Amino acid sequence: ECKPCNITGIAVRTCNKEQQAAGDIARLWEQFWNESILNKIPDKVNIDIYCVYTEYEGDFTQPYTTLIGCETRSLEQIPEGMKGITIQGGEYIKLTARGKLSEGIVMQKWSEIWQSDLSRTYKADFEVYKSGSNPDNAEIDIFVGVK
């Protein structure tokens, strides 16, 4: 069970067809680091980084929005070019991807999720990258909304 939280950051609309998401999301991460987005997000609760998948048109084969940012106390101050969303509370299953980020551990975990028979809500799913974690020995928690 998760409580509702606000996330402010940068977003892209994408879909999983023909590897589109892989490129779009990689570019979004690049922008996040290159433009020091982390430092520009106001009213942060902490500096853990969230990667949220939301605004699904259907299931994972349909378009959705990916947002990379931080938890914020409110959505009252959203800088230009950024987006704020609220992750609704509710039931989530927590999975953890362990290993080297450079080896695609998060993507591998998502492949398992897509092939699973989880009864998903398709409202919001998210990954949490804890501040100060080691990319070569990472533990990334993935929260999947379920019915």
Side-chain angles (χ1 to χ4, degrees), residues 7-14 24-25 27-29 31-32 37 50-55 64-69 78-85:
I7 308 291
T8 301
I10 54 172
V12 66
R13 190 91 183 138
T14 189
D24 287 345
I25 295 169
R27 282 188 292 277
L28 195 67
W29 276 109
Q31 181 190 352
F32 185 83
I37 300 295
Y50 283 68
C51 183
V52 185
Y53 307 95
T54 190
E55 298 172 352
Y64 59 92
T65 297
T66 302
L67 183 143
I68 301 173
I78 298 169
E80 201 176 325
M82 290 195 202
K83 180 180 173 82
I85 58 164

Side-chain angles (χ1 to χ4, degrees), residues 46-103:
N46 55 40
I47 55 168
D48 292 347
I49 297 168
Y50 283 68
C51 183
V52 185
Y53 307 95
T54 190
E55 298 172 352
Y56 287 97
E57 276 180 29
D59 64 11
F60 67 88
T61 64
Q62 305 288 311
Y64 59 92
T65 297
T66 302
L67 183 143
I68 301 173
C70 294
E71 184 178 353
T72 50
R73 288 178 185 82
S74 75
L75 296 177
E76 282 162 29
Q77 324 165 33
I78 298 169
E80 201 176 325
M82 290 195 202
K83 180 180 173 82
I85 58 164
T86 300
I87 298 176
Q88 301 304 325
E91 292 295 317
Y92 285 84
I93 286 180
K94 176 178 154 184
L95 302 149
T96 305
R98 292 184 175 85
K100 285 188 179 185
L101 282 182
S102 59
E103 290 174 1

